[in-house]
């Protein structure tokens, strides 16, 4: 068994603008099953953070419990990390974000961790619009406990043992839109061309950004009859658009045919450029987004790509009008300004 | 691109850079693994089968394998392949019991070998076990040719050479030493079934027209002749001040030998710039380590002789200028000529072929360079029964090339003597075996170490300069040899891809440390090389392209900097990737009569 990746890398790989190599964004060698979709998502996260020139120490990874929640060990080894309690990552993330609003927050969760045990926390996280990129590595089963159907398993999907799931599935992306999330996307671990720009856009979005990534469980849910197998997803995938995330002050290099493109300007000045593949769909209009998802569901297709974006999203700090300086930087003199300040306040109340 | 045909034996052979670069195609990683496993005898035998002189070559080889080594493309220096070979030779147990031992049942055919160097000895070794009666002729007192006469003992101890020469002579070879063959006609008249000429490139070049050349003859020597006289103990000393003219490995041997025979101020003077000298970098280093300055960009102008005695030489200072076609010429710097004092001058400016003993009316064709017309594949001359090999065939090269020629000439002679077509040569023997032992276990050591190249220890200069026969290099001890062997990337353990098993999960792409693997739409090669996860700029290295996968993409692996770490195969859930050990062996004489 190989426990360590060799230290050599391709000698001609470029450095990013910070002078870091892609290697500087890697983590330990994965101990997930060979072929797990989660590893591809990890690789996409590494690539996205490398390309976005994120300083590794300016990012915190938070996760719950499950195969998905193990993955933060396998990427961004130089960033902060917190592997929390099952389904309770949102609380920890909220606390961390309130204490230090200067960090970027990346929440990593699974379908069990989010749609079952963590559902309560998940919906409140959306309600509060915490500034976090929340990725669900969705394989439709409990891989860590030998592959029982999870709450996102589609009705009628067949397990490896042959039993058919009798229950309605929870559509996390649909739920997120319904609850008012400002950035909702769905992708597939096997489609990095789509996933990497989605992650970049999600990280740039100010507020709750949700990506539901279908990530096949190669050990327990990659069988014929499963709706989350590599084969099934590839055959039923339907994208909202091909698109490109254009960071601030970068030239557009992708070519789009006229008439089909749309731009969404992001909060920080960067923007997303779309080449739409869906009719009657506008990612900035909630009702068209919901409609497109329903239509795809009825056709038995899996709609991927950015589904909905609200560029005017206000995050928790804006809603609460908190101090612009992170709490962890406020000193005792800031927090206890003294008797004079108290007297001033008292006077103003008279 | 079309899918790669991995059934072509040359495809995977080319991935094993060292073996591919070796003229004799020695299976390098195979023997390096055996050295790491302390199986020195087995490592020696792999070498012996392929290159005949492991002990000699482990000290003196020109090492075409090392510049080719993949390790040199991912870090500063290649694996010390050559010196690891020496480890196998130094630590081997009884190897003779593994070699074919005489007497062999006769096949009734007689072959004459002219010259006793590496090419002839290789032919002898390959043919003797098949029952050929081999007659070897050499003018010297013992076998080895230029390995004995031109390579000084401080680089190649006589006992090492003699042991390996004797392994062959003991196979019932009829050796005729101290016998200078004066006439090819006489040999042909003796009705040998075939004749092999391996007489090397025995004539050292001179500077006959340089002023003063013939006024101080006794102190101006031809390098290779002088080295031979030292080796055969006709010369025991040299003046205190010595100039060695020339920049090849012979010049390095001349200057270092001079230091051991009394030369105190020994200088190497060479026309070309230092970086363009023909000598191997390590041989230049060794010379400089022995306090021998190398003066480059000095063109010989005159020998200075006073009262019939050599005083030194004058040189014109030049610098290299390249014209628009990239052709280099040496142009005078305009500085005054340089005078260098010398008691003796050694000329080591190259050597050439000469065949005064071959009558020109025998039907043996010579080309305009006075080299025999020799087929580059069969080594046959225009007289069907006469074959050439080594330096005598295509001009001066090196020992390992001579050995490679010898093997092919032996195949031809064997075919010729059986009346078969010389061009119907057998393909190499190849074998491709999975190394999988368990889910994450391989039969080879797949771990990649970060160690930098280890330096071979040398004996104290104070000791080696006093004794011409004291070997300078001490060789790796077994602990260092193990560590150096671990640097080998096992490039012969191939990444074999089976597209029918691939589910395109990207696990191999994600894990590959050197970003070799991509799944992309198929294109023509030049476009494909630009659209991979890492640019594939090294066009000497192939792209391994699969057939179309279900998504219509293809798997493309750039072989260039693959570490052969096996992680792609470890992370592959369906064993679409497998690590398979590829053994490629050049077919030798005698394999023709039966299928292996």
């Amino acid at each position: 068994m190989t426990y360590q990746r060799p230290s050599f890398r391709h000698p001609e790989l470029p450095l990013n603008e910070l002078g870091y190599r892609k290697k500087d964004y890697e983590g330990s060698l994965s101990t997930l099953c060979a072929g797990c979709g989660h590893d591809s998502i990890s690789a996409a996260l590494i690539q996205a953070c490398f390309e976005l020139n994120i300083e590794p120490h300016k990012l915190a990874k938070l996760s719950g419990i499950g195969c998905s929640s193990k993955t933060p060990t396998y990427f961004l080894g130089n960033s902060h990390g917190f592997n929390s309690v099952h389904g309770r990552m949102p609380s920890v993330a909220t606390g961390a974000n309130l204490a230090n609003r200067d960090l970027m927050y990346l929440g990593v969760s699974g379908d069990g961790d989010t749609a079952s045990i963590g559902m309560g926390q998940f919906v409140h996280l959306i309600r509060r619009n915490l500034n976090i990129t929340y990725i669900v590595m969705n394989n439709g089963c409990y891989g860590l406990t030998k592959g029982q159907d999870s709450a996102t398993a589609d009705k009628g999907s067949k397990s490896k043992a042959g039993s058919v799931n009798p229950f309605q599935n929870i559509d996390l992306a649909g739920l997120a839109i319904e609850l008012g999330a400002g950035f909702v996307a769905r992708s597939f671990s096997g489609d990095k061309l789509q996933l990497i720009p989605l992650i970049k856009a999600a990280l740039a979005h100010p507020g709750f950004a949700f990506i539901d990534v279908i990530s096949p469980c190669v050990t327990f849910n990659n069988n014929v009859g499963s709706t989350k197998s590599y084969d099934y997803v590839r055959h039923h995938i339907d994208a909202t658009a091909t698109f490109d995330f254009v960071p601030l002050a970068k030239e557009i290099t992708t070519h789009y045919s006229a008439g089909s493109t749309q731009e969404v300007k992001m909060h920080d000045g960067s923007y997303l450029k779309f080449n739409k593949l869906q009719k009657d769909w506008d990612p900035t209009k909630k009702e068209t987004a919901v409609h497109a998802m329903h239509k795809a569901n009825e056709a038995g297709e899996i709609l991927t790509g950015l589904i909905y974006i609200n560029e005017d999203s206000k995050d928790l700090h804006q809603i609460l009008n908190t101090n612009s300086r992170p709490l962890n930087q406020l000193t005792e003199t800031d927090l206890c300004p003294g008797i004079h300040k108290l007297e001033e306040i008292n006077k103003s109340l008279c | 691109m079309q899918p790669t045909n991995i059934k072509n034996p040359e495809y995977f052979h080319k991935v094993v850079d060292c073996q591919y670069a070796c003229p004799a195609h020695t299976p390098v990683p195979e023997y390096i693994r055996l050295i790491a496993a302390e199986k020195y005898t087995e490592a020696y035998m792999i070498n012996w089968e392929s290159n005949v002189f492991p002990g000699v070559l482990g000290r003196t080889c020109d090492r075409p394998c090392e510049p080719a080594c993949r390790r040199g493309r991912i870090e500063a220096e290649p694996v010390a392949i050559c010196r690891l070979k020496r480890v196998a030779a130094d630590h081997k147990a009884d190897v003779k019991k593994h070699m074919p031992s005489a007497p062999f049942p006769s096949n009734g055919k007689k072959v004459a070998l002219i010259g006793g160097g590496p090419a002839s000895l290789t032919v002898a070794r390959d043919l003797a076990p098949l029952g050929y009666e081999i007659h070897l002729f050499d003018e010297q007192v013992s076998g080895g040719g230029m390995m004995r006469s031109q390579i000084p003992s401080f680089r190649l101890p006589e006992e090492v050479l003699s042991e390996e020469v004797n392994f062959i002579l003991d196979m019932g070879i009829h050796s005729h030493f101290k016998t200078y063959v004066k006439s090819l006609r006489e040999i042909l008249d003796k009705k040998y079934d075939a004749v092999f000429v391996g007489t090397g490139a025995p004539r050292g070049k001179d500077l006959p027209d340089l002023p003063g050349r013939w006024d101080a003859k006794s102190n101006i020597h031809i390098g290779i002749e002088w080295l031979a006289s030292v080796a055969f103990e006709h010369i025991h000393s040299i003046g205190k001040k010595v100039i060695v003219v020339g920049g090849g490995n012979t010049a390095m041997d001349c200057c270092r030998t001079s230091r051991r025979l009394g030369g105190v101020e020994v200088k190497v003077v060479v026309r070309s710039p230092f970086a363009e000298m023909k000598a191997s970098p390590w041989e230049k280093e060794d010379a400089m380590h022995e306090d021998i300055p190398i003066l480059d960009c000095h063109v010989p102008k005159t020998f200075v002789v006073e009262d019939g005695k050599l005083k030194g030489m004058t040189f014109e200072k030049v610098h290299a200028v390249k014209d628009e076609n990239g052709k280099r010429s040496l142009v005078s710097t305009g500085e005054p000529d340089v005078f260098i004092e010398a008691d003796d001058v050694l000329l080591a400016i190259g050597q050439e072929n000469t065949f005064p003993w071959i009558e020109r009316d025998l039907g043996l064709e010579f080309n305009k360079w006075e080299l025999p017309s020799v087929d580059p594949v069969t080594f046959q001359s225009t007289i069907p029964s006469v074959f050439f090999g080594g330096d005598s065939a295509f001009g001066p090269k090196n020992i390992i090339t001579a050995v490679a020629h010898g093997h092919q000439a032996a195949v031809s002679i064997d075919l010729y003597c059986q009346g078969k077509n010389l061009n119907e040569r057998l393909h190499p023997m190849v074998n491709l075996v999975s190394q999988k032992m368990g889910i994450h276990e391989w039969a080879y050591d797949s771990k990649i170490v970060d160690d930098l190249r280890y330096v071979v220890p040398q004996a104290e200069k104070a000791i080696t300069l006093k004794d011409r026969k004291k070997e300078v290099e001490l060789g790796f001890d077994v602990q260092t040899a193990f560590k150096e062997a671990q640097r080998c990337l096992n490039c012969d353990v191939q990444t074999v891809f089976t597209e029918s098993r691939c589910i395109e999960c990207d696990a191999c792409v994600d894990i590959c440390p050197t970003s070799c693997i991509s799944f992309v739409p198929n294109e023509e090669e030049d476009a494909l090389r630009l659209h991979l996860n890492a640019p594939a700029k090294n066009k000497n290295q192939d792209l391994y392209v699969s057939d179309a996968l279900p998504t219509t993409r293809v798997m493309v692996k750039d072989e260039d900097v693959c570490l052969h770490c096996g992680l792609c195969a470890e992370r592959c859930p369906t064993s679409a990737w497998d690590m398979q050990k590829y053994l490629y062996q050049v077919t030798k004489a005698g394999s023709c009569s039966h299928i292996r």
Side-chain angles (χ1 to χ4, degrees):
Chain A
M1 170 94 193
T2 307
Y3 296 97
Q4 272 180 333
R5 226 175 176 203
S7 63
F8 296 113
R9 294 293 176 271
H10 196 293
E12 280 171 31
L13 286 182
L15 302 177
N16 67 10
E17 283 168 18
L18 298 174
Y20 289 123
R21 298 162 302 169
K22 203 173 126 185
K23 186 183 177 184
D24 299 317
Y25 293 86
E26 291 173 2
S28 317
L29 196 70
S30 171
T31 57
L32 297 171
C33 306
C36 179
H38 298 2
D39 286 333
S40 288
I41 304 172
S42 298
L45 283 162
I46 290 166
Q47 187 68 30
C49 292
F50 167 79
E51 289 176 11
L52 279 181
N53 304 302
I54 291 171
E55 292 174 277
H57 68 281
K58 287 289 185 81
L59 189 144
K61 312 165 283 185
L62 300 112
S63 64
I65 295 295
C67 297
S68 59
S69 298
K70 287 173 73 178
T71 60
T73 311
Y74 315 137
F75 57 82
L76 301 174
N78 294 312
S79 297
H80 307 280
F82 198 113
N83 192 191
S84 76
V85 187
H86 205 358
R88 270 65 186 154
M89 175 265 280
S91 317
V92 179
T94 307
N97 189 313
L98 283 173
N100 187 357
R101 61 186 294 175
D102 275 0
L103 291 185
M104 292 179 99
Y105 291 91
L106 175 64
V108 178
S109 184
D111 40 327
D113 196 57
T114 293
S116 296
I117 194 168
M119 184 57 108
Q121 300 236 336
F122 176 66
V123 296
H124 287 281
L125 193 65
I126 299 174
R127 195 171 68 89
R128 290 176 180 143
N129 199 19
L130 192 75
N131 186 8
I132 185 171
T133 297
Y134 193 107
I135 290 177
V136 170
M137 300 184 177
N138 184 355
N139 57 17
C141 73
Y142 300 142
L144 213 54
T145 55
K146 299 203 171 177
Q148 300 84 352
D149 290 329
S150 79
T152 63
D154 292 310
K155 190 176 178 186
S157 177
K158 209 180 255 183
S159 78
K160 192 180 181 183
S163 61
V164 175
N165 177 32
F167 302 114
Q168 195 56 49
N169 71 309
I170 293 174
D171 180 346
L172 289 171
L175 184 70
I177 295 175
E178 207 53 54
L179 291 170
F183 182 108
V184 179
R186 177 173 286 141
S187 192
F188 170 44
S189 68
D191 186 3
K192 286 206 194 74
L193 281 180
Q194 183 192 61
L195 183 55
I196 292 168
L198 274 181
I199 292 171
K200 287 159 119 180
L203 288 168
H205 178 79
F208 185 81
F210 178 69
I211 312 177
D212 177 22
V213 189
I214 298 168
S215 172
C217 175
V218 82
T219 303
F220 294 112
N221 203 8
N222 197 36
N223 47 286
V224 175
S226 160
T227 58
K228 294 222 170 11
S229 68
Y230 280 107
D231 269 355
Y232 184 90
V233 177
R234 284 223 173 82
H235 283 118
H236 294 82
I237 207 159
D238 184 18
T240 55
T242 61
F243 57 97
D244 203 9
F245 174 71
V246 187
L248 186 60
K250 275 278 158 65
E251 273 185 59
I252 305 159
T253 50
T254 321
H255 174 78
Y256 295 98
S257 53
S260 59
T261 60
Q262 184 176 354
E263 270 179 29
V264 176
K265 194 157 185 187
M266 310 279 292
H267 171 77
D268 66 353
S270 52
Y271 51 91
L272 267 170
K273 257 190 111 66
F274 298 87
N275 187 14
K276 288 205 274 182
L277 300 175
Q278 300 291 323
K279 272 191 202 159
D280 309 323
W281 166 76
D282 178 344
T284 62
K285 294 200 168 64
K286 207 180 205 175
E287 59 279 8
T288 65
V290 173
H291 178 69
M293 281 183 76
H294 284 168
K295 221 170 63 179
N297 273 347
E298 277 165 26
E301 298 291 310
I302 303 161
L303 190 67
T304 62
L306 182 79
I307 297 168
Y308 174 65
I309 185 166
N310 171 9
E311 62 271 58
D312 301 323
S313 172
K314 277 193 169 56
D315 87 319
L316 182 59
H317 285 283
Q318 290 171 293
I319 296 166
L320 295 180
N321 194 23
T322 58
N323 199 310
S324 61
R325 276 165 69 198
L327 288 185
N328 68 348
Q329 285 175 24
L330 297 180
T331 59
E332 196 178 337
T333 38
D334 295 319
L335 297 170
C336 303
I339 187 81
H340 304 295
K341 194 77 189 169
L342 180 65
E343 282 168 359
E344 264 177 47
I345 293 169
N346 283 342
K347 260 184 207 158
S348 71
L349 297 174
C350 292
Chain B
M1 280 181 79
Q2 290 295 313
T4 302
N5 177 17
I6 59 168
K7 292 206 169 125
N8 175 354
E10 293 306 312
Y11 181 76
F12 282 144
H13 183 204
K14 201 176 163 195
V15 175
V16 194
D17 291 294
C18 46
Q19 186 178 8
Y20 190 70
C22 175
H25 303 311
T26 301
V28 175
E30 182 75 5
Y31 79 72
I32 289 185
R33 274 191 300 273
L34 288 168
I35 289 167
E38 299 181 317
K39 293 185 174 174
Y40 306 112
T41 305
E42 289 85 342
Y44 184 88
M45 288 311 296
I46 295 235
N47 273 289
W48 189 78
E49 203 265 333
S50 168
N51 56 47
V52 191
F53 304 101
V56 173
L57 289 165
R59 292 167 165 85
T60 63
C61 191
D62 270 5
R63 321 176 188 175
C65 51
E66 292 192 16
C69 174
R70 175 165 280 119
R71 184 108 193 170
R73 296 199 293 273
I74 56 162
E75 59 134 304
E77 290 207 78
V79 177
I81 299 169
C82 181
R83 292 327 188 229
L84 282 172
K85 187 195 308 290
R86 176 183 165 172
V87 171
D90 285 356
H91 297 277
K92 66 185 186 296
D94 178 16
V95 289
K96 221 169 165 182
K97 65 180 180 195
H98 300 294
M99 297 175 179
S101 63
F104 306 103
S106 170
N107 68 357
K109 307 276 184 188
K110 274 168 73 177
V111 177
L113 311 177
I114 319 296
S120 286
L121 288 167
T122 302
V123 175
R125 192 208 68 174
D126 284 1
L127 292 184
L130 305 177
Y132 288 89
E133 185 182 315
I134 309 282
H135 290 266
L136 183 142
F137 299 88
D138 196 287
E139 60 175 321
Q140 293 171 1
V141 292
S142 45
M146 58 73 65
M147 300 189 285
R148 192 176 296 277
S149 64
Q150 292 179 24
I151 300 178
S153 299
F154 57 84
R155 285 214 290 134
L156 174 60
E158 201 189 331
E159 59 274 16
V160 173
L161 173 64
S162 294
E163 182 189 32
E164 295 190 332
V165 169
N166 289 338
F167 284 151
I168 299 166
L169 297 182
D170 290 353
M171 289 179 173
I173 309 296
H174 302 264
S175 51
H176 307 268
F177 292 123
K178 294 199 264 183
T179 308
Y180 179 74
V181 173
K182 291 191 296 291
S183 157
L184 180 61
R185 177 172 281 122
E186 276 176 31
I187 295 284
L188 293 176
D189 286 346
K190 285 184 185 159
K191 301 289 173 217
Y192 289 103
D193 293 285
V195 175
F196 176 80
V197 180
T199 49
R203 188 164 71 193
K205 285 189 190 163
D206 203 339
L207 293 170
D209 302 330
L210 212 65
R213 166 66 181 94
W214 306 106
D215 301 334
K217 280 191 284 193
S218 58
N219 292 100
I220 300 169
H221 319 271
I222 302 297
I224 58 169
E225 288 169 13
W226 182 80
L227 285 172
S229 299
V230 173
F232 295 113
E233 314 222 332
H234 304 311
I235 288 180
H236 299 278
S237 67
I238 196 162
K240 282 200 162 60
K241 293 174 182 168
V242 181
I243 295 174
V244 177
V245 181
N249 286 337
T250 303
M252 299 304 119
D253 287 339
C254 284
C255 67
R256 295 178 69 195
T257 303
S258 300
R259 285 285 279 136
R260 286 157 173 80
L261 298 191
V264 181
E265 284 178 37
V266 181
K267 293 184 176 76
V268 171
V269 187
V270 55
R271 290 161 52 98
S272 56
F274 184 83
E276 292 169 27
M277 285 168 63
K278 284 194 176 141
S280 310
W282 53 90
E283 299 215 10
K284 291 196 275 188
E285 273 168 35
D286 287 344
M288 291 187 290
H289 176 68
E290 291 175 358
D291 314 313
I292 299 163
I294 296 175
L295 309 173
D296 64 348
C297 298
H298 281 64
V299 177
K301 227 174 163 187
T302 57
F303 291 96
V304 180
V305 183
E306 277 173 26
D307 305 328
K309 198 173 168 355
L310 182 72
K311 289 286 166 194
M313 286 181 78
T314 56
F315 296 90
E316 182 182 10
K317 285 194 80 179
V318 293
H319 59 109
V321 179
K322 280 200 178 150
D323 66 14
E324 60 266 29
N325 298 327
K327 195 173 180 309
R328 192 203 72 173
S329 54
L330 297 172
V331 179
S332 173
T333 60
E335 292 169 81
D337 289 347
V338 179
F339 171 72
I340 299 172
E341 275 188 89
D343 302 320
D344 283 286
V345 170
L346 299 173
L347 299 175
I349 52 176
Q351 56 196 89
E352 51 199 10
N353 295 55
T354 174
F355 299 97
W357 56 281
I358 296 182
E359 294 83 353
R360 302 301 150 111
D361 58 355
L362 293 171
L364 203 145
E365 226 173 76
F366 281 80
N367 62 23
K368 61 177 171 177
W369 300 285
E370 277 299 292
L371 285 169
S373 297
V374 176
D375 185 294
V377 174
T378 63
F379 293 87
Q380 194 176 34
S381 72
T382 50
I383 300 177
S385 66
V386 178
F387 298 82
F388 281 74
D391 288 357
S392 69
F394 306 111
K397 297 243 165 47
N398 50 37
I399 303 172
I400 189 68
T401 305
V403 170
H405 289 179
H407 285 312
Q408 292 309 315
V411 169
S412 298
I413 292 169
D414 189 33
L415 289 169
Y416 176 76
C417 289
Q418 294 179 62
K420 291 183 180 166
N421 183 349
L422 266 54
N423 287 305
E424 282 177 16
R425 305 169 89 81
L426 282 193
H427 289 296
M429 200 290 285
V430 295
N431 193 12
L432 189 63
V433 183
S434 176
Q435 299 296 289
K436 203 174 178 77
M437 303 239 297
I439 292 178
H440 294 123
E441 273 181 297
W442 303 106
Y444 75 107
D445 195 352
S446 63
K447 190 169 172 249
I448 309 293
V449 299
D450 290 346
D451 298 23
L452 299 176
R453 182 176 169 123
Y454 289 89
V455 176
V456 181
Q458 295 196 342
E460 282 287 325
K461 193 161 71 177
I463 299 166
T464 58
L465 286 182
K466 280 196 191 115
D467 179 359
R468 174 176 73 82
K469 294 189 175 179
K470 171 78 188 161
E471 191 174 13
V472 173
E473 285 199 3
L474 301 172
F476 285 130
D477 57 44
V478 293
Q479 288 83 7
T480 317
F482 172 77
K483 286 192 258 179
E484 184 62 34
Q486 289 296 90
R487 294 180 70 238
C488 175
L489 297 173
N490 300 293
C491 297
D492 60 339
V493 181
Q494 306 286 349
T495 53
V496 180
F497 184 73
T498 312
E499 46 272 83
S500 61
R501 293 204 186 118
C502 179
I503 58 169
E504 299 180 65
C505 68
D506 270 6
C508 51
V509 178
D510 298 334
I511 197 69
C512 178
T514 44
S515 310
C516 301
I517 304 170
S518 307
F519 286 78
V520 288
N522 203 351
E523 293 175 274
E524 285 309 310
E525 176 164 355
D526 287 346
L528 208 49
R529 282 183 175 273
L530 299 173
H531 296 153
L532 304 178
N533 286 339
K537 290 182 190 160
N538 184 355
K539 288 198 174 175
N540 294 324
Q541 292 286 321
D542 288 336
L543 298 181
Y544 181 1
V545 182
S546 78
D547 215 336
L549 293 160
T551 57
T552 72
R553 298 180 301 173
V554 287
M555 184 290 299
V556 183
K557 183 195 162 212
D558 178 15
E559 300 282 7
D560 188 21
V561 290
C562 169
L563 302 172
H564 297 258
C565 63
L567 279 173
C568 52
E570 275 189 35
R571 297 302 297 168
C572 181
T574 57
S575 295
W577 284 108
D578 192 22
M579 303 307 291
Q580 300 187 3
K581 190 173 90 178
Y582 186 65
L583 185 64
Y584 176 105
Q585 284 175 308
V586 175
T587 303
K588 310 285 188 313
S591 312
C592 319
S593 49
H594 61 281
I595 295 160
R596 291 211 278 197

